[in-house]
Amino acid sequence: MHDLRRLRAFYAVAEHGSFSAAGLELGYAQSVVSHHVAALERQLGLTLINRGTRPVSVTHAGARLRHHAEIILGQVSAAEDDLRAIAGLESGTLKVGAFLSVCNTFLPAAVARFERAHPEVELEIAQLEEPAALRKLRSGDLDVAVVWRIPDVPGTPGAGRDDGFDELHLADDPYWIVLPARHRLGRRREVPLGELADERFIAPPAHEHTLSYRAMLAQLWSQAGIEPRVHEVQDVTVARAMIAAGLSVGLLSELTMSEQRPDIAVRPIRGSDPRRRLYATWLRGRRVPAVARMVRYLAEAAQARLGRPQPSSGP
């Protein structure tokens, strides 16, 4: 496997499920991507891509190679970064990933500050959730990412995770009960969850990056002795609109409510203080000089928006 172009082309196709999308990412024509993948298959004597599916998918052999390619390409990027750091290079590209509510709130301030201080470094910003962000950190397609985890929720992905990453706790993003403006409990200073037993809660479907949130909801409901109905929606902007229309109530974080709305009431939960922790994370051992500066700007922007993080004994 002496030609890394073939491995990069295969990995991009496996990630995107598309030869054309892989070409766009790599700056190749689709035919060039197809040529590189076919050459790699001939070299290995194995079929790596199921071309008859839409989107295309990896075979069993392809899935195994995808895992190794993620590590190999990440190590190649780490070696390149290490040499740049030794040479003291300040130019190049810094690739930053973050989830939607960070992109909508404090990330722009951190990016603007970085660009003013380091105009010679080109920034690439990607909006994505933690599972995809960690894969791209391992493969070298991202240099630093902002992710979130909910503490004290057992049995969920990411609890106590290390997996070869370093991280900095940026801030805590508290969760609030969100009600329609004219809700019967909307005038309360705090809302007991037990009084929402007959309400319909709005929540995202239980996918890989939302499992800890759904587990936190279940834990809070159990502590309050309620089993409410759930209305699932994908997008938090839809959730806010449904709440405002009186169709549901919800538990939303501070960052997801970046704009004040007169048609909803936002209240703390009586006797509980749920929150998620925000982290900047990067692959351990990668020496990208610009990462430390971006992490500092992210921390200061996050704390300007949310305050300093609470001390914690765990992850």
Side-chain angles (χ1 to χ4, degrees), residues 73-96 114 118 120-124 136-145 166 281-296:
L73 296 175
Q75 290 298 320
V76 170
S77 292
E80 293 170 344
D81 296 335
D82 200 26
L83 293 175
R84 290 192 190 101
I86 292 171
L89 296 179
E90 290 291 327
S91 60
T93 302
L94 180 67
K95 294 163 285 189
V96 181
F114 184 95
H118 309 286
E120 69 284 354
V121 179
E122 181 180 351
L123 281 175
E124 293 182 3
K136 287 185 176 293
L137 286 171
R138 289 192 188 97
S139 67
D141 293 322
L142 280 182
D143 298 310
V144 61
D166 285 327
T281 185
W282 59 96
L283 194 65
R284 184 173 301 135
R286 287 196 67 185
R287 295 180 60 186
V288 183
V291 163
R293 298 163 210 175
M294 175 56 80
V295 168
R296 189 182 83 198

Side-chain angles (χ1 to χ4, degrees), residues 178-244:
V178 184
L179 309 167
R182 297 186 178 181
H183 192 276
R184 58 187 172 83
L185 301 178
R187 292 177 178 269
R188 298 274 191 94
R189 294 182 63 182
E190 296 179 328
V191 174
L193 271 184
E195 294 194 29
L196 296 173
D198 297 328
E199 301 283 352
R200 178 169 54 184
F201 274 74
I202 203 155
H207 294 315
E208 188 176 14
H209 67 277
T210 62
L211 289 177
S212 59
Y213 173 80
R214 292 296 297 261
M216 176 191 69
L217 274 184
Q219 188 177 71
L220 290 169
W221 292 337
S222 175
Q223 291 167 355
I226 62 174
E227 294 184 24
R229 296 167 294 156
V230 177
H231 184 186
E232 294 186 343
V233 297
Q234 295 275 4
D235 194 303
V236 70
T237 59
V238 177
R240 291 198 300 265
M242 300 285 276
I243 294 170

Side-chain angles (χ1 to χ4, degrees), residues 34-117:
S34 180
H35 171 77
H36 281 319
V37 174
L40 183 60
E41 289 176 322
R42 287 195 302 272
Q43 179 184 345
L44 297 175
L46 293 166
T47 299
L48 302 173
I49 300 292
N50 291 314
R51 292 165 174 80
T53 61
R54 289 293 180 274
V56 299
S57 59
V58 293
T59 63
H60 177 69
R64 297 288 293 273
L65 181 59
R66 177 181 180 176
H67 171 72
H68 291 295
E70 191 174 84
I71 297 170
I72 292 167
L73 296 175
Q75 290 298 320
V76 170
S77 292
E80 293 170 344
D81 296 335
D82 200 26
L83 293 175
R84 290 192 190 101
I86 292 171
L89 296 179
E90 290 291 327
S91 60
T93 302
L94 180 67
K95 294 163 285 189
V96 181
F99 55 95
L100 178 62
S101 54
V102 166
C103 292
N104 281 340
T105 52
F106 66 81
L107 179 65
V111 168
R113 187 176 174 194
F114 184 95
E115 287 196 334
R116 287 193 299 269

